Structures are given as C-alpha cells and as structure tokens.
Amino acid sequence: MKKVLMGNEAVAYSLFINGVNVAVGYPGTPSTEVIETLKDFQDDDFYVEWSTNEKVALEVAAGASLAGARTVAAMKQVGLNVAADPLLSLSVVGVEGGLIVFVADDPGPHSSQTEQDTRNFARFCNLPVFDPSSPKEAFELIKPAFEISEKYKLPVLFRMTTRVCHSNQSVEFELKREKRKIKGFRKKPEWVILPALSYKKHMELEQKLQDMKKELSVYNKVEGKGKIGIVTGGVSYFYVKEAIKGFEDLFSILKITVAHPLDEELILEFVKDKEILIFIEELDPVLEEEVKLLLFENGRIISTYGKRNGYVPFAGELDVDKVKGIFYKVLSDKRFLMKNTFTDVLQIPKRQAQLCAGCPHRNSFLIVKYATKGQDVIFTGDIGCYTLGFAKPISTTDTCLCMGASITMAQGLKITDGSKKVIAFIGDSTFFHSGITGLVNSYYNRHNITICILDNLTTGMTGFQPHPGTGKKIYGEEGRKVSIESIVKGIGVEKVLVIDPYSDFTQNVDKVREFLNNDQLGVIVFRRECANLKSREGYFKINQNCLKCKVCLNVTGCPAIDEDENGNIFIDSVLCKGCGLCKNFCPYYAIEKVMENE
Amino acid sequence: MNDIIIAGIGGQGNILLSRVICQLFMNRGFDVKSAENIGMSQRGGSVVSYIRVGDEVGPIVPDGKADILIGLEMSEAARNVNKINKDSVVVLNNKFVRPKNSDLKKQEILNLIESNISKFYILNAYDIALELDMPKAENITMLTLICKKEIFPFSKEEIMTALKLVLSPQMYEMNKILVEKIYEKY
Ligand code: SF4
Ligand code: SF4
C-alpha cells in the first residue's frame, strides 16, 4: 500500500514490520510520534510503554534485548543526555537482540533547550549512527539498523532531525510483520560489567567499528562528476540537490548516511579529483572535522568551506535559500542569489506563545502570583507547557534549565539567597521523570523551598500521554496509579496542600498566602485536568457593562480574550473554556457566564 | 501546482488540511512531501505547512517558489509572503486575528496582497463554517471552497475520497455533510 507517513511514523511502521518486540520511550518533541504510532500496532509478541524517563526506557530496552528481543528506545536529543549513563555502558556490555536507540535532534531549535548533535554522541560512545534524509529513507534503514545491531551485538543509534521526523512523504510498503523466535535470557559472565572486562571489551569495540565500516558504507552514496565536492547528510542533502538545480555539472555530492564510523576509502576516492570541498550539514561540523582530519592524515591539501571557516552557520537549521547563499559566498556566482519578488513586506508582529485558553496552569500561576504580591520571590520553572509561565502577563517563571531542575535549582538559590522566598513549579509528568530525587534532596538537606506541582493529569506539551500519576497505561488500560501526595508525604514532607485551581480564586489566594507564611519545605499540588481534555459546561461573554479597561486581558493574557479594531473587548466563544478566571478581575461585573446550548 | 503553503494559527486545523491536500495529490498518483512549522503553543501560535509535489525535494518551500498560498488567517498569510512571487495564487480566509499588542490592520494586509498579486481570492470559510455549525471545520470549508471555485483542480468526489482516507469514520461523516452543503449552498 501507499501512504503518506510522517518521518516518525515511517520509523514506527518499519520497526513493527521488522519485528520489534519491545518499544519504550519518553515523549519529547520531535520524537514523540514514534511510540505514539507504535501503540496503534498490536501483536502477541509486541509490547509498548511510556516509561517514566529516558534512562528508565533504555534500561528496560536493554533488559529485553539481553533476552533476545528486538527493541527500540525512543527519545529526543536532550532525553539522550538522561539516558547517557546506560548507553555508554551498553556500548561496552553489548546487546543480544537488535537494539535501536532512536533520537530526534532539533536544529533550530524548534522545541528544545539545546542544539546538540547526536552524531557527536555516536562518536563519543563509539556506536554506529544512521542519519536518514527523508521519511522514505528512514523507513528503509530500520532493517539494516537491526541487522547491524544483532551482527555486532551493539546498540545502534538512529538519529533524525526535526525536518525528517516531522515531514511527511508518500511511502510504499506491505504491512507484513517479520516474526522472530526470541531465545530468552541466557546467563553469561559478560553481562556483568567489571573494570577488567571493560578494558577487554573496549578493544573489541574499536575492532568492531573497523569491521563494520565497509558494510555500512553501502548506505552512503556519490552523485555527479563536478569538480566542486559537496559533503552532506541528513535533510541537508535535499537542500543541496535543490540549490544546485541547473548547475549539476559543476558539482558532485557525497551523501553520508552513516555518519559514524566513516568509510575512509570512500571519502578519499571522492576527494581525489575535487578542486574544493563544501560541507553542508546542520548542527555540529561532524563530517567536516572527520574529513579534514582524514585529508591531513593523507597529506592532501584542498580548500574547504564549512562551519569552521564561517561559511556555514553554526547555529540554526539550513534550507535551500541558505545553502544557495553559501554557494554564492564560496563561488561569488550571482546565479545562486535568491530573488525575492515582493518589494514591500509588512512587519507582522510575532505571536507570542501562550498557555491555552482555560489552561489551569494560568489560574495556578496567578494564584501564587497574587498570594506573594509585594514579596521578594524567585520562581523557578521546568520543562513542559508551563514553561510558558515566563510569558507576559503571567511572568512567574525566572529560570528554566532541564527536566526536574526547578526543584534542585530552587535549593541552590535558597542556599545563596536565603532571604527570598523560592518557589519551584513542576508538572506532573516531569515530577515523575526527575523531580522526585530533587524533592528527596530538599527534604534530606533541609532546604526550605515551596514546590508547586502543576498536575493537569497528563503530559500536555507532547500530546496528552499518560504517566504514573494518571494510573493509565499507554492504551488507556489500567496500570497502577502513583499518588503524588503519597510520594511527597512518604518522603517525610508534612506541609502539603491540594488545590483545585478552577475553584474560588480569592479563597485559593488566601490559602496559598497562609501556606507560604512560615518558611519551611512545603508542597502544593494544583490539580485540574488539562483544558484540552475536558469539554466545557459553558463559556463566558462580555456584556454591556464593559468599560474597556482591559484588566481582564492584561492580567490573564487568556488567548480567548481580545480587543477588536475599535477597541471593544470580546471573548471568542469557540476558544473560551469557561474556566471563569477572567471574571475575577473585572471591576465592572462585565463578564458573565453562558451555559452551553443557550 | 507543485509547491503549496498553508498559513494559519494553532487550532485552525492547518495540519489536518495539509494531510488532506497531500492525499488529494497522492490519489492522482503523485509523490508528495510535506512539513509543518509548529509554534510552541497548542493554540494561538503561528503554524505553517508546506506541501511539495515531487519526491526529490526537501520539505521546506524555498523563498519565492510557492505556487499557491492558502491563508487560514490573514496576518499569518502576510507573514509568509517571502515564499510567494507575483505569479502565485493567494487565497485568504476572511479572518483576521490580530497578533496581541500590535496595531496591525486588516486593510494593510489586503493592500499588500492586492498591490502585488493579481490572482487573489478572499473566501468566507470561517463564517460559512460557523453558519453550518461546525466552527472547527474552517479548514475543510476552505478546501471545499477552493476546489469549488476551481482554484484547485479537484472534484467533490475526490475531496470525499481523500477525507475518507485521512479522517476517522466519525469525523468523516460530519465533514461529508459539510462538503455536500457547501457545494449546494455557497
Ligand atoms: S473564562 Fe475567561 S480566562 Fe477562562 S477560558 Fe474563558 S476567556 Fe479565558
Ligand atoms: S475587565 Fe471588565 S470592563 Fe475591563 S475590559 Fe475586561 S470586561 Fe471590560
């Protein structure tokens, strides 16, 4: 059949067709859809779950692999940092059943804290890495990735970037699953990593990388005969193809699909008759550095253009126009300049990212903001929708670093700037991911901070995945529910408050103010289902009492409230979730409720 | 028409519309590629979809290359004019959601497009979707109108086939009625 598949979906389909037995991951843009798609497949020898974090996921996958199962652990690039510990050890210990570590990188970045490059991670942990250019290619490369993993008994990294993960392409395939017999776990001394063994295994690992080079190199390819050599990989390959349209004779392309280990022979053969080399790659200059080193080692002197000499930008993603610009800079050939036919372009103001209309986090932030009015407070934030708490007019997020760091950074701030109140905000899924250890630390070391757990009963940012706090498993079936309050109390924290952020605003403000009165470790759980998961009872509208003071708009920043071209304030009846927050701030009683179907 | 851009704001069903258009081309036997530029917020942020007919291209439409720009919201369409040229077709939904804290006017956008583009249409997709009691379906309303006005070369039957393949059965039933009504009434 032929179907339009998103890059991540193509990976999922191919994983299933190629007999993956265990698929685990933690959601994170742009990787989420791999597990989301896999969950729609079912078979008696296939298991899929959302794990509490990436380290947990990879370790579950490793266990299954040792028993001979084909496995995948899926995550985004910053998730790989969390899973780095087991990954580096696995490269030494090795695997049994094919293990693919799927990692989505995010040049741009569109939805991440960093622009790190997983190809560099592959060099760092001595593992092979596939770097497909399109959904179709990703689909085709899963099979060899499993085979290489099984043949060399090593995990294989499968790295894609946002533009491959999230682009769609028509792919042709037959939905027929390859069934394999799983041997089960066999005891072997080499599964226990000890220093002496580690040394021996490291030598083996280096040898394995040498051995697999030729075999992997069949996925690289050379195109064209021109004297200007372009070395590229990933989605940049297509940008190059398009940029040189009409000038194909001048160029030849070396497309690197396996970025590590690199096949030296292929590269040396490619550069033989080239006059110059241009490196077109996103994120780190991985190909550029490897190829240059190789040229040096082989006594070749040739002009190169890439990131290292400023011709290709280090930050951000590439596109056809940027690549054309690079060719222009290198060749000073005006034909590569793009022409923009629009003479005057309007400056369209940016649309600032906002919490959704009716988002309970908006209420929670404002409750805390009002309860601490006039006090010197530091608010630490975390990773999730609620990072948007930094945006105006909410402005209750002063720091954001990585998953779980709101709680731990708050402690560092409290140690050094103790006269201030420090309040940490963390989401429910993030709390389970890596907030718990921070909470243990603050209890143990007597750090007197306040932790607000914004529990919207889902993983909102990545598309409503379940987590331990929901008690639902990946298919919505019953798991066991982990209660946030029990964890908090179980650790020993005595001061705990649970609040419904939708309930009476003034009362909530009073409760929180009182709670914050004495400076001791405390946890407030704000609990209310994500606004996108529940249908509303009614919505609000603005009546004739409105004096256009704009307080409702300016205090809440709710996207459903807006001002028209004549300065009239209105509430979008489709967008409004009827949370009632705005009503609290209108001095003229101009905001009234309309029940659904009235 | 090889390169298509859909610009709008989160919540308008931009991405679903892009999927349906991909399916329309695929059903005619073309290879398609598409990509989205999604903002961080689920609602209210800028969303752009690129659709490219053909296999050997990257997912992003280069500057000045788009053959048609579909604006689900006007200021988002204006934000993407760098992707079109004077021969491109521009189709705008008659809906303007001013970016907050700006004094951008609808008329400024219309002036910009009118003075540069000759093949230019304004459609009332939002109002029609509201009238038909499906405010969330302005995306499919827009598509149906575009096809009905023969800006896009697809028939009613082709729309139905594509919708059936992309939507869930329940969503399909609702949208089927919508498409029928639009062909009858507007
Ligand atoms: S009630 Fe007010 S604050 Fe709540 S969603 Fe509606 S407009 Fe926004
Ligand atoms: S706060 Fe009340 S009076 Fe002021 S703009 Fe909003 S609805 Fe109108």
Side-chain angles (χ1 to χ4, degrees):
Chain A
M1 78 170 124
K2 199 170 174 185
K3 210 172 148 90
V4 176
L5 295 180
M6 183 190 274
N8 287 344
E9 291 172 341
V11 167
Y13 271 79
S14 191
L15 282 165
F16 187 75
I17 290 168
N18 287 292
V20 70
N21 305 109
V22 173
V24 286
Y26 183 80
T29 314
S31 70
T32 315
E33 298 82 5
V34 172
I35 298 292
E36 280 292 338
T37 308
L38 274 168
K39 88 171 202 281
D40 292 338
F41 296 114
Q42 299 192 17
D43 205 339
D44 51 11
D45 67 346
F46 175 57
Y47 172 82
V48 55
E49 76 170 28
W50 285 121
S51 307
T52 37
N53 70 29
E54 297 82 0
K55 173 174 149 71
V56 171
L58 183 53
E59 289 160 357
V60 171
S65 164
L66 290 198
R70 281 196 166 176
T71 59
V72 64
M75 61 200 71
K76 67 182 294 183
Q77 90 280 21
V78 281
L80 184 60
N81 302 342
V82 178
D85 201 4
L87 182 65
L88 276 112
S89 297
L90 264 182
S91 72
V92 177
V93 173
V95 302
E96 190 60 41
L99 193 162
I100 293 177
V101 183
F102 175 88
V103 188
D105 283 358
D106 189 16
H110 294 272
S111 187
S112 307
Q113 306 95 295
T114 68
E115 283 198 299
Q116 62 192 69
D117 193 323
T118 295
R119 294 175 305 163
N120 252 335
F121 232 110
R123 292 202 286 190
F124 174 44
C125 49
N126 291 310
L127 290 175
V129 58
F130 285 84
D131 183 18
S133 301
S134 66
K136 203 184 257 176
E137 197 177 63
F139 184 91
E140 286 156 7
L141 288 173
I142 289 292
K143 189 181 167 69
F146 268 139
E147 286 166 359
I148 287 287
S149 173
E150 274 156 11
K151 177 162 175 195
Y152 292 94
K153 304 265 181 258
L154 282 179
V156 167
L157 288 162
F158 204 89
R159 172 259 198 180
M160 305 214 298
T161 56
T162 310
R163 294 297 180 187
V164 184
C165 294
H166 280 177
S167 66
N168 306 281
Q169 187 176 18
S170 30
V171 183
E172 218 169 338
F173 58 91
E174 202 187 332
L175 195 56
K176 212 176 110 213
R177 180 168 160 85
E178 181 192 331
K179 285 263 189 182
R180 297 163 49 261
K181 220 177 110 48
I182 301 176
K183 293 189 298 249
F185 183 71
R186 301 229 178 101
K187 295 189 191 210
K188 272 193 208 166
E190 59 184 277
W191 296 146
V192 184
I193 190 74
L194 293 170
L197 179 66
S198 177
Y199 164 75
K200 194 179 133 243
K201 287 274 205 163
H202 186 189
M203 289 200 296
E204 273 176 40
L205 178 58
E206 294 295 338
Q207 190 54 48
K208 281 180 184 176
L209 286 169
Q210 291 301 326
D211 295 346
M212 67 174 76
K213 263 179 200 168
K214 276 266 145 310
E215 210 172 328
L216 284 169
S217 198
V218 300
Y219 303 106
N220 303 321
K221 74 178 174 199
V222 175
E223 284 175 16
K225 294 208 162 52
K227 294 271 182 253
I228 303 169
I230 302 170
V231 182
T232 187
V235 72
S236 305
Y237 164 73
F238 284 109
Y239 301 151
V240 168
K241 294 270 285 186
E242 236 180 307
I244 64 170
K245 228 169 229 160
F247 310 96
E248 283 89 348
D249 294 352
L250 297 176
F251 298 93
S252 48
I253 302 173
L254 173 60
K255 175 190 185 294
I256 300 289
T257 307
V258 177
H260 185 260
L262 275 178
D263 176 15
E264 289 96 352
E265 265 174 53
L266 174 78
I267 295 167
L268 289 172
E269 182 59 35
F270 177 76
V271 300
K272 229 179 199 164
D273 59 342
K274 298 297 170 288
E275 279 159 9
I276 60 170
L277 283 181
I278 309 175
F279 297 93
I280 305 290
E281 59 189 316
E282 291 178 320
L283 301 175
D284 294 340
V286 172
L287 302 176
E288 181 176 352
E289 286 173 5
E290 294 279 351
V291 171
K292 277 184 178 171
L293 196 61
L294 194 67
L295 293 176
F296 179 80
E297 285 167 351
N298 286 273
R300 271 285 308 218
I301 297 172
I302 184 168
S303 302
T304 59
Y305 301 89
K307 289 178 192 264
R308 301 299 302 251
N309 51 9
Y311 281 82
V312 180
F314 257 102
E317 60 174 345
L318 295 174
D319 58 32
V320 178
D321 299 293
K322 282 189 190 158
V323 172
K324 280 186 166 183
I326 294 163
F327 291 164
Y328 169 67
K329 245 182 18 186
V330 174
L331 308 171
S332 286
D333 185 332
K334 285 218 167 45
R335 289 173 298 177
F336 284 109
L337 279 185
M338 45 246 116
K339 44 181 190 305
N340 202 335
T341 50
F342 255 71
T343 38
D344 43 331
V345 180
L346 268 183
Q347 278 309 316
I348 310 290
K350 247 189 131 159
R351 285 188 197 273
Q352 207 194 10
Q354 290 289 348
L355 295 168
C356 298
C359 173
H361 298 332
R362 176 179 284 104
N363 305 42
S364 307
F365 279 123
L366 285 178
I367 292 165
V368 176
K369 190 171 170 174
Y370 275 77
T372 54
K373 235 189 182 140
Q375 300 178 39
D376 209 353
V377 194
I378 305 172
F379 300 106
T380 58
D382 222 299
I383 309 287
C385 296
Y386 53 94
T387 312
L388 290 170
F390 87 91
K392 281 183 199 150
I394 308 271
S395 314
T396 17
T397 300
D398 302 316
T399 67
C400 177
L401 181 68
C402 61
M403 295 286 281
S406 61
I407 298 181
T408 30
M409 281 183 77
Q411 298 167 43
L413 284 159
K414 190 70 192 174
I415 296 167
T416 34
D417 206 353
S419 62
K420 293 190 181 130
K421 245 188 212 339
V422 188
I423 301 180
F425 291 99
I426 189 164
D428 39 351
S429 191
T430 314
F431 177 73
F432 289 109
H433 179 284
S434 45
I436 296 173
T437 39
L439 178 60
V440 170
N441 196 58
S442 58
Y443 179 75
Y444 164 62
N445 282 305
R446 296 188 189 277
H447 296 303
N448 292 330
I449 56 168
T450 304
I451 299 165
C452 298
I453 302 177
L454 304 178
D455 184 3
N456 62 358
L457 302 165
T458 190
T459 317
M461 185 156 212
T462 44
F464 320 120
Q465 290 77 20
H467 60 66
T470 64
K472 298 276 183 247
K473 294 179 54 173
I474 192 163
Y475 294 111
E477 80 276 38
E478 292 298 321
R480 273 197 288 264
K481 190 175 159 97
V482 181
S483 146
I484 294 178
E485 293 92 293
S486 307
I487 291 178
V488 174
K489 287 181 190 151
I491 287 169
V493 181
E494 281 158 16
K495 229 177 118 193
V496 184
L497 177 67
V498 181
I499 281 183
D500 172 6
Y502 268 22
S503 65
D504 190 279
F505 186 81
T506 331
Q507 274 178 26
N508 281 339
V509 170
D510 289 341
K511 273 194 225 164
V512 171
R513 193 183 291 118
E514 199 193 325
F515 187 86
L516 293 171
N517 230 342
N518 59 356
D519 214 17
Q520 107 194 37
L521 175 65
V523 173
I524 309 175
V525 181
F526 288 94
R527 180 166 296 134
R528 170 56 75 158
E529 199 161 37
C530 170
N532 293 306
L533 290 184
K534 224 173 159 94
S535 57
R536 61 184 188 186
E537 290 166 8
Y539 55 95
F540 283 76
K541 71 167 190 199
I542 293 190
N543 65 28
Q544 67 292 342
N545 289 346
C546 176
L547 292 183
K548 306 185 191 180
C549 71
K550 296 202 232 177
V551 169
C552 54
L553 187 82
N554 293 340
V555 172
T556 66
C558 174
I561 312 176
D562 211 345
E563 183 190 1
D564 68 14
E565 284 188 41
N566 307 318
N568 294 320
I569 306 298
F570 68 96
I571 290 179
D572 184 324
S573 64
V574 178
L575 273 185
C576 174
K577 291 283 181 183
C579 74
L581 177 70
C582 52
K583 187 171 179 278
N584 294 296
F585 302 101
C586 175
Y588 307 104
Y589 304 101
I591 303 182
E592 61 176 87
K593 187 158 187 172
V594 185
M595 290 312 282
E596 205 70 75
N597 305 324
E598 252 175 45
Chain B
M1 263 179 228
N2 290 323
D3 288 312
I4 301 160
I5 296 214
I6 311 170
I9 49 182
Q12 289 189 298
N14 189 324
I15 288 158
L16 182 73
L17 175 57
S18 151
R19 283 257 160 152
V20 176
I21 295 179
C22 281
Q23 193 66 50
L24 280 167
F25 279 98
M26 247 180 66
N27 292 352
R28 286 256 182 112
F30 294 100
D31 274 325
V32 287
K33 229 182 208 172
S34 75
E36 295 102 27
N37 231 344
I38 319 170
M40 190 162 153
S41 66
Q42 304 246 356
R43 311 224 159 232
S46 305
V47 183
V48 194
S49 300
Y50 306 112
I51 299 163
R52 312 200 72 191
V53 180
D55 197 3
E56 284 278 282
V57 289
I60 309 172
V61 175
D63 282 2
K65 266 216 76 196
D67 300 301
I68 176 167
L69 167 65
I70 301 173
L72 290 173
E73 192 279 332
M74 288 183 178
S75 45
E76 290 309 319
R79 196 192 295 283
N80 287 283
V81 292
N82 60 315
K83 296 285 176 192
I84 56 176
N85 58 61
K86 60 179 189 348
D87 300 319
S88 307
V89 180
V90 174
V91 193
L92 296 183
N93 182 7
N94 191 4
K95 182 173 183 178
F96 173 63
V97 182
R98 187 163 39 155
K100 284 207 170 151
N101 305 318
S102 80
D103 50 10
L104 186 70
K105 302 236 159 37
K106 185 169 157 179
Q107 198 52 47
E108 292 176 296
I109 296 167
L110 293 176
N111 292 347
L112 169 81
I113 307 275
E114 264 166 3
S115 57
N116 284 282
I117 298 285
S118 54
K119 283 172 266 172
F120 164 42
Y121 308 83
I122 295 188
L123 306 174
N124 285 324
Y126 181 67
D127 295 333
I128 293 174
L130 260 189
E131 242 175 75
L132 297 175
D133 212 18
M134 285 182 70
K136 297 246 158 83
E138 62 183 315
N139 53 353
I140 304 302
T141 308
M142 192 80 178
L143 174 71
T144 314
L145 292 169
I146 294 173
C147 293
K148 198 182 168 202
K149 296 207 175 325
E150 294 179 358
I151 301 165
F152 249 12
F154 298 103
S155 68
K156 187 172 97 181
E157 290 66 37
E158 283 180 284
I159 301 178
M160 297 293 191
T161 317
L163 287 178
K164 193 162 195 170
L165 285 165
V166 174
L167 301 179
S168 66
Q170 188 200 353
M171 285 268 288
Y172 169 69
E173 287 308 321
M174 285 161 68
N175 280 282
K176 194 172 118 182
I177 301 169
L178 179 91
V179 175
E180 290 286 2
K181 281 196 183 148
I182 293 170
Y183 266 91
E184 258 165 50
K185 276 173 69 179
Y186 299 94

